[in-house]
Each structure stands twice: as C-alpha cells, then as structure tokens.
Amino acid sequence: MSEILKTRQALTGNEAFAYAMKQINPDVVAAYPITPATEIVQIFSKYVADGEVDTEFVAVESEHSAMSACIGASAAGARVMTGTSSQGLALMHEMLYIASALRLPIVLAEVNRALSAPINIHCDHSDTMGSRDSGWIQIYCENANEGYHSLIQAVKIAETVNLPVMVTLDGFIISHGMEVVETLDTDVVRQYLGKRKPMYNVLDYENPIMVGPLDLPDYYFEHKRQQIEAMRKAKAVIEEVITDYNKRFCFDFPVFAEAYRMEDAEYAILVMSSAAGTMKEAVDIMREKGEKVGLVRLKVFRPFPFEVLQELFKNVKAIGVMDRADSVNTMGGPVFNEVRSALYDLNSRPRIMNFVFGLGGRDFPLSDALYIINRVKELKEGKSLDFVEYVGVRE
Amino acid sequence: MKKKGWKELPEGGIIKNVPTSQELKTGSWRTQKPVWDPNKCTNCFLCWLYCPDSAIILKEVNGEPKVSGINYDYCKGCGVCAEVCPPKVKAIHMEKEEL
Amino acid sequence: MADNFSISLKELAKRNKGLASGHRACAGCPFPAIIRMTLSASDYPVVVANATGCMEVTTSIFPFGAWPVPWIHSAFENVAATISGVEAAYKALVRKGEIPSDKKVKFIAFGGDGGTYDIGLQALSGAVERGHNFLYILYDNEGYMNTGIQRSSSTPYGASTTTSPVGKVLPGKLQHKKPIVDIMAAHGMPYVAQASVSHWNDYVKKVRKALSIEGPTFIAVYSPCVPGWGYPENKSIEVAKIAVETGFWPLYEVENGYYKINYRPRNPLPIEEFLKSQVRFAHLLNHPEAIEEIKRFIEGRWKFLEFMEKRREIEGIKEDV
C-alpha cells in the first residue's frame, strides 16, 4: 500500500464538514444558514469568495428553496451538496421525500439540533429522526473526524446507489468543539471521487426526459417499490464503500455499527453519536468492577442494519437503547422501537428498554451514563422495569 | 397495453423518449367535430396556433408549412379553431359528432 | 418594441414546437397554445420547469408525457427555486468545461397564478433577487383551477370561486387582484411584461425579447379557464380578447424600470362586456355598485400605468431602453 499522506488538523465539527466540502468541490451548493450549522455555509462561502472551489453557490432564501434548488441542480447532472439543522431540515421535509424518490445523490451535512417548540438551538436527534422515513441514507457520526471522512464517503455512496445521504454531527457538542481531524490531501479526495455519472440528465436536450411526473394509483406503488429496492441495495454499497475507503487510506471506520467490548458481554447499551464517548467511559468503569457489559454505537440508521444488530446482540440478556429524541407515542424513541422490532425474533429474547436523554442539549454527564448501565444490569437480573425511562429530566 | 412492473420501469419515475402522450386518443372526448374546407382556407395558421390538442395537421409543401387537415384521433371538439378562423374566411365549421 | 423580435405565424408554424396530442387539458383550454407560442418562439433549446397545477398535471401523467423538451417538476411552491438549481448546475458545468459554452440553453419556468402569486411568491422573489438567468411565465387563470376553482390572490374582485362563493351574505371575492407584474417590476428586474393569449403577436415578441436578455425576466400571460370562469369551450381566446379590449387586462412591459403600454384599445368596450361573458361574474350584473368598484379599480390601474409611462417622457428616453 502506497503512502497516504494524512494531515492532523485541529478542527471543529463544522470546520471539518466545510473542509471536506471544499475538497469534494461540488458543482452546486444551495444552502441557507441555521444555528448550529451556519458556520458550514459561512466557511464555504469564504472558500467560494477566495476562488478555492469551483462551486456555484446559490444563497437561497429558505431551506425549502435550498433543497428545491439542489433537486434542480442534481437533476441537471451536477454534484450537489448542502447543510442544515432542525427547523431547516423540517422546512425542507416535503422536498426530502422528493429528492429520494427522484433518486438524486444529494449529500447533506446535518448538524443535529432539537425541533421547536419551545425553540431550542442545542443538540438532540429529533430533527433527523423526524425525517427517517424520507428515503434518505442517514449516517450518525461520533466525532468531527468521523464526520469529515463520512461526508466524503457519502458522495461515493450516494452516487453509486443513487439515493441522497445525510451525514450528521451533534450540534454544538461536536459542531463547535475542536478535535483532531486526520484529513487527506485534496487531490487524493478528488481522485477518489472522480466525476459523477448521473442516472439521467435534464440538460440533455437532444434526449429530452420528463422528471417528476404525476402517478395515478396504477404506477405509484411500482415507483415506490423501486426506491425501497434501492435502499436495500444501499446496504451492500455502504459496506463496500467504507471497507474500500478503510483499505485505501488505512483507516478503521466502523461500517454500520461500532462494537465496543461486546465479545463476552452479558448486557449492553446501544447509543448513537457523541454520547457514545461518555458511555464508553462508563462501560470501562463498570468493566473494571468486573461487570460484563458492552456497547454498540449505531452509525448507519438508514438503511436500518437489522442483520448486523441481530448478530451483535444474539447472546446478550438485556439491552438499554438510548434515544436522543422521543416519538411522543408513549413508547419511547425511534431507535428503541426499531431495535426492539429488529431483535424480536431472536431466540435469546433479550430484555430491551429505552432511555431517553439529552433532549434540547441537556447535558449528559458520566453519572447519568453509569446510572443507565446499572439500570440495564437490573433489567438483566430480572427486575421488572418500564418500557422507557427519561434520564436527566427534573421531575 | 400491459403495464410494466417495478423491475422494468425506468428508475426515478422519469418519462423517457418524450413525448409519449400520443398513445391516448382524446378524440373520444368530443361531441361535436370541426370540418375544414381546404378551398376556403388561406393558411393563416391561427387554427394551428390555438388548437389545444395539436390536432391541426401541417404538411410541408415546397419547404413551406400548409394546413392539410384535422387529426380526429385527438380533436376534443372544443371549437376554438372555428372561432379563431377569420370571419371573412370561415374555413372551419362545427358539426355534431356521430356517436 | 423594436421589430427584431417579431416572428411570423408562418415561421412559428415551420418550427411547430408544442405539446404532443393526447394530454388531458380541458377541451378549449388556452395554455397549450401558450406553450406552443413559447416553445416555437425560442431560437434556442429550452429546459422547462413546471409548478404543480393544471399545466403540470394534465401533461405529465405517467407514462404519458406531452412535452417535447426536457422538463422537471418537483413541487408546488418552488418552481423558481427548482429552475434556479438547474441554471446553477448549467453555469457550474459550463465553467468547469464539462458543457461547451457555445451551446446556449434557455431556462423557462411555467407557473399558474397559484404557484406564483401565493405559495410560490417567495421562491420567485428569491430567484429574481439572485439574478438567475431564466424566464418565468405566469399563465394567469385567476384561481386555483386544478384543485377545483378556489380563489387565489389573482382572482378579481367580485368573482365567484368555491372558496369565495356568492352566498346569501357574501358577494364573491372581496379583495382586488394583486398587481403581480408591478410587484415583479419593483424587484428591479431587467424585463417584465403583461400579455394575453389572444394577442399572440405581442406575446411572442415579449417571449423573444425576454429570452434575449441575460438575467431574470417575467411575463404574465392571460389564460382564461373554461370550467373556472364559466363560458363555452370555444370562447377562451375571445374572452381573453375582451379582457384586453375592455381594459381589464392591459398589455404593457417594463424594461429596467421604464413602463410602456403596448396597446391602447381604440374604442374600449364597457367592462360589462367582460363581466357578462363569464358565469363567475354573472351575479354582479344585478349589483351596479360592485361594477362601479371594478371600474374604479381598472381606472386606477390605467392611471398608474399612464403615470409610470411618463417617466420615459420626463427623462427624455426614446423607444428602447
């Protein structure tokens, strides 16, 4: 393997996202600012102003127009990226479904922030969870380094399977926190990505097509089934792209989920994004005490990697699934409900409960992490507990 | 016409090789039909311009377009052609459609 | 207007570019003629974006597409944003050398009054402010027709629609029409115009002029609706003509802020001629005060246009700016 030059830089999550975008050098970026993702657009605008990218930057007047312009540009064969959070993602909601159904490989840098009301600019997962059925691939990153590399991988994944991808980082916690990011050289990134080969192109006036027609009940189901098939195929594509990326550039990124001390685990925690850092520390403390506890950090939420989770949890007696969002359905959060459903048929029938934490940027200290592990231990020991517990809220 | 299954349709819901609407013969909509008199027609092209259904047939004669008839496969019988034909020409009149 | 934008009907017929037959627009609907005029008038290949509405729905029922040019529809309120994206991609790819720069393509967005005056106004305003190179054509049928004739901010005062129906207490729509062309002119756009499907020569010249301009341009073209307005299906062009001849729908253009009235009816018909031609206004014929209100509004519009046109005179501007 030839020498791949990596540069260690101190970057915040937003800077890492923006830097990756610069290296990717998309044809079009149509974006609107929103806290805490604003910086991505600002930093990128400076790259444009300094001529460091060839991107056509469209400073749209709303997020709905941002995704609309991204759709138009992507349908015209361009490589397109954007970024947003929270209300912005919610405002482009109808367009997310359209982007996916039109099979456009748009890549969105998402900074997780709670949805209003009350208006809150801090981290939770309600925004991207709110779009989990839109047909977008969703990759939740633990830290700025993973975010940088995942954004680059996302372009390749999107253009191979022809589905849009959102890569997320926790708002403020990661987006504004400075960490070490190992960046690749710009020409390495560009060579790795190559040129986009669009599935169709509305600029090809010699071979005109119509994009976005109306379907009556005699065709809609078939078109949806095709989209579902694409999301199924996405699993193999994601596996292939990340494995290849790791091999090429000497990295060790997990594909769908990161297993931490799961080899002999009797009970386990499932968590996503930055809270995994705190949870890993808590797992280490419990392991010191002789507890056989492990952790799974779920990274790819869409497509939902149920096969991987079934394998990881097949010998575990109890699982605590952590959610940084609640579905307001009296049954906890989205991750819990999907994990539980995925594991329902396991012969071992692990007991599974939900811990909702960190809503609206509520701090998640080590004490809460240890509390959760102890609760799951009680669950393993046969104690009868509720479906869901809210950790860190004042009663 | 047998409808295609999801494995055969073009992906992304796009319509290729447009236009493809000609398969729908909208002529079945009408209850009256236009009758064109070639002897009166002055080839002003107003009927061609305003026909909603592109049912005024043009043919090329010596490199110039000329009105040559009405495409009854698609004519919805709206009567706009008869309306816009100049009053001094009146080359199109409407007749009741034989159902 | 300088005559180098003129084009004969015969030349348009030679080009013969319009919707294919087999689409599902109502019998007698005038927007297919508008499309034919637009596509045939263009000297360049075009890419069309369509807002959700009658035009989009009737011409794109899968798998029966009636458009002979590349076409994209994404949603209702965003045709201006969608075409902005297509245009941005084109600019980027030309700049990167992936599309030859001599292959000029024109971008046209079609929207109804629903998708333009109301839900689509933000996206239109944004696209115009950013200066994208596209022509926006508003086919104005004065209501949300595709969903069954609901009022829009384009619906004229007194018109009966399903959401502003004539009832025992209310007399139809209570608000006057929003002056969309002047709103767009106030953006400082290079070119906006108001035209009518009935006056094809004026319309195609405006289209050709708009397409010759780099930057955002806007044309509102009057497009009567058979079921929505209530008149026999062979009368769409006639109704549009009466609208122009009564002064109800003036034909004018605004180039870089300078107004010009293109047509002054020599013997203007009384407004009643327009109102009595359509069922949506029929109830007004017994309400002289409503008719007076409409006349007052139209007179006010013409006074405004005459006043704005004086700017050329005052500043000593000749024919074309």
Side-chain angles (χ1 to χ4, degrees), chain A residues 376-389:
Chain A
V376 181
K377 180 179 173 199
E378 288 175 357
L379 191 67
K380 172 198 78 142
E381 285 160 0
K383 192 162 181 185
S384 159
L385 296 173
D386 287 330
F387 258 151
V388 51
E389 227 182 89

Side-chain angles (χ1 to χ4, degrees), chain C residues 4-67:
Chain C
N4 49 3
F5 295 115
S6 286
I7 185 168
S8 66
L9 247 186
K10 186 188 269 189
E11 179 57 35
L12 290 174
K14 251 198 197 142
R15 295 164 176 214
N16 198 5
K17 226 171 160 71
L19 292 178
S21 305
H23 62 73
R24 318 267 252 264
C26 295
C29 175
F31 72 59
I34 293 171
I35 294 169
R36 182 177 299 115
M37 290 175 202
T38 312
L39 296 183
S40 302
S42 173
D43 291 335
Y44 303 97
V46 304
V47 175
V48 167
N50 218 165
T52 310
C54 274
M55 188 187 277
E56 169 261 333
V57 163
T58 58
T59 59
S60 69
I61 301 177
F62 190 91
F64 307 113
W67 288 81

Side-chain angles (χ1 to χ4, degrees), chain A residues 27 71-80 104 159 195-203, chain C residues 89 93 98:
Chain A
D27 300 314
I71 286 170
S74 192
R79 181 171 278 164
V80 184
L104 297 171
E159 292 178 4
K195 265 222 279 255
R196 178 186 170 201
K197 292 188 196 70
M199 190 160 76
Y200 59 80
N201 192 339
V202 88
L203 283 179
Chain C
L93 296 172
E98 289 175 33

